[in-house]
Amino acid sequence: MLDYARRHGVGFILTKELQPDTPSASDPAKSLVVINMCWRDQNQLPYIAAHEIGHCLDGDDSSILYFTTTANLSKYEYHANKKAFEILLPLTIDGDCQPDQINVVDWMDKMHIPSWEIGSVQESVAEYLF
């Protein structure tokens, strides 16, 4: 993920100074992500990093957490998650795979992606393969 970030002009800070329940963050205005390396689910770090990189690549407003409605926040989070799947799929699935060869639930389990994201993951897999 860090090579991907570097290639796309996104800087990063990896920190072990945060608590296991402190989320990672991004500052799209500075094209910078901060990744909590003490996160409670270490296997989820690639997904988290891709999500934060997604905020930067989408050019989200850095003040969004403070000056937005819940509906708008959900929209930004949805787009960051979709971008994360766009980033992760080519890195983890062979592009020559046939759609019936990919078990979305297994991939989500492997990447530690929350089950409530299944619809977005299915859309992203379909977009990636077609």
Side-chain angles (χ1 to χ4, degrees):
M1 287 312 318
L2 302 181
D3 285 340
Y4 183 93
R6 221 179 264 117
R7 286 194 311 271
H8 290 85
V10 177
F12 51 87
I13 297 171
L14 307 178
T15 182
K16 291 185 176 185
E17 301 295 318
L18 302 172
Q19 296 298 312
D21 59 342
T22 303
S24 295
S26 59
D27 185 348
K30 294 180 181 174
S31 198
L32 179 69
V33 298
V34 176
I35 305 299
N36 179 0
M37 298 304 290
C38 292
W39 185 246
R40 62 181 168 252
D41 182 352
Q42 291 288 296
N43 292 316
Q44 201 175 38
L45 287 174
Y47 165 61
I48 290 169
H51 172 92
E52 298 304 336
I53 291 166
H55 280 300
C56 290
L57 297 179
D58 283 346
D60 291 342
D61 183 349
S62 297
S63 64
I64 191 145
L65 291 176
Y66 305 105
F67 303 108
T68 192
T69 65
T70 303
N72 276 346
L73 181 59
S74 296
K75 176 180 79 169
Y76 286 102
E77 292 304 307
Y78 169 81
H79 285 266
N81 283 334
K82 287 285 285 184
K83 184 63 79 173
F85 306 144
E86 287 176 29
I87 293 168
L88 290 169
L89 284 166
L91 298 174
T92 59
I93 294 179
D94 180 2
D96 293 331
C97 282
Q98 297 301 312
D100 62 344
Q101 294 175 303
I102 297 174
N103 183 315
V104 172
V105 173
D106 287 347
W107 185 78
M108 290 175 67
D109 286 345
K110 175 182 167 187
M111 302 305 299
H112 289 234
I113 295 170
S115 60
W116 51 267
E117 286 289 355
I118 193 161
S120 294
V121 172
Q122 288 171 324
E123 287 175 18
S124 297
V125 168
E127 291 165 5
Y128 172 64
L129 294 176
F130 295 109

